[in-house]
Every structure is written in C-alpha cells, then in structure tokens.
Amino acid sequence: MNNFDFISYHGTITSIRDNVDDKYIWFDIVKYEIYTDKDGTVKTNPSFFSARIYKHTKYKLKVNNEVYVKGIPKGYIDKKGYRQNYIHVNKIDGIMINEDNFEKIISYDTDGVQLWHGKRCEDFDLPQNEYDELKNMLDKITGDKK
C-alpha cells in the first residue's frame, strides 16, 4: 500500500475543463475566506484550488455546485516555469474514485459480454427453489406478502 499525504478541500466549482487530455477532467474549486483587515474592514478573499478526476467516473460535475474533495496533492512546473499545484481526486462528496477499481470491476470479454469482477454477466435461469426464495424476499420488501 502506498503512503500518500491527503488533502481535503471544500468549495464551489468555478470551471470545468474536459478537453485538456484523454484521461482527466480538470476543475477549479473556490472557497471564500472572510477576514478583517488592519482598519477593521471585513473583506472576502477568494482562494482557488485546481483538481483532476478520471474521465470515466460517472460523477456529474457542474459549475456552481458545492463539493467536498479528498485527494493526493500534486504539482508540476508549467511551460512558463511556474509551479502548478492541484489535487488528484480519489474521493468526491463521499464517493471513492479510483481508476484501478473501474478496470477491475467492470470490463468486457473478447466476445463483448460485460464482466463484473472478471465474471461474465450472462442471463441464466435459477433453480426453482432459489427463484422461490428470492421472490419471497422481494415480496416481503415490497409488501406483496407478509
């Protein structure tokens, strides 16, 4: 298991960029910090942070939505020589985001049949006793049978 430092951040999405590369969606989060200056005037200072999330996640990002993210702090030097910091998101609003999970949980067999944890998702008939047991449980849940 890798030992990473994690950062948690809460704020409002201000922009979304899904055309930067093939693997990630980049978005910016703002948090408004309120402070009192030396003259006693209350001021607001916007604090921005960039984040990236895997494109194949089904999480719906929307501008002006409030989000809670947790991820690994990352950084790089851009073409102009400036340091760019961002969060590589692995949890957003309590939902775990991990590229490895997507590849292992859902994939496809060579003939196009979907795999769930490596097992083929094919239609098959249950033995009558298992069918009756499942129907009984569902009937209790739906209230069809007491």
Side-chain angles (χ1 to χ4, degrees):
M1 182 169 188
N2 294 329
N3 292 324
F4 293 112
D5 290 324
F6 288 94
I7 186 170
S8 295
Y9 198 76
H10 165 247
T12 304
I13 297 174
T14 59
S15 69
I16 301 168
R17 296 169 309 284
D18 61 359
N19 59 353
V20 176
D21 58 49
D22 292 336
K23 198 170 184 178
Y24 302 106
I25 296 172
W26 291 80
F27 59 101
D28 293 322
I29 304 170
V30 66
K31 179 187 282 189
Y32 294 97
E33 299 172 17
I34 299 171
Y35 68 97
T36 305
D37 71 5
K38 64 181 179 180
D39 299 325
T41 306
V42 176
K43 294 189 174 182
T44 303
N45 182 40
S47 177
F48 292 90
F49 219 107
S50 292
R52 74 177 188 188
I53 192 170
Y54 290 108
K55 279 189 176 183
H56 56 267
T57 63
K58 300 300 180 202
Y59 187 87
K60 184 70 174 165
L61 296 171
K62 285 186 176 181
V63 171
N64 296 325
N65 275 10
E66 200 171 303
V67 292
Y68 294 85
V69 297
K70 181 178 179 182
I72 303 165
K74 300 268 190 169
Y76 64 94
I77 305 297
D78 68 14
K79 293 176 187 176
K80 295 180 181 178
Y82 294 108
R83 182 139 190 77
Q84 301 295 328
N85 296 309
Y86 64 93
I87 301 170
H88 175 77
V89 176
N90 59 10
K91 193 173 195 178
I92 186 166
D93 290 338
I95 301 168
M96 288 300 296
I97 307 295
N98 184 340
E99 182 184 37
D100 295 338
N101 289 346
F102 292 101
E103 292 173 2
K104 291 178 184 174
I105 293 173
I106 299 173
S107 58
Y108 292 90
D109 210 342
T110 55
D111 61 353
V113 173
Q114 191 173 32
L115 301 173
W116 179 261
H117 289 287
K119 295 182 181 178
R120 293 174 64 89
C121 299
E122 295 181 292
D123 189 18
F124 62 91
D125 292 328
L126 288 175
Q128 187 63 41
N129 64 331
E130 288 183 30
Y131 175 82
D132 291 341
E133 183 181 343
L134 286 173
K135 181 162 180 14
N136 188 27
M137 287 189 318
L138 288 171
D139 286 348
K140 286 180 183 176
I141 292 169
T142 61
D144 292 340
K145 188 176 184 178
K146 295 183 182 196

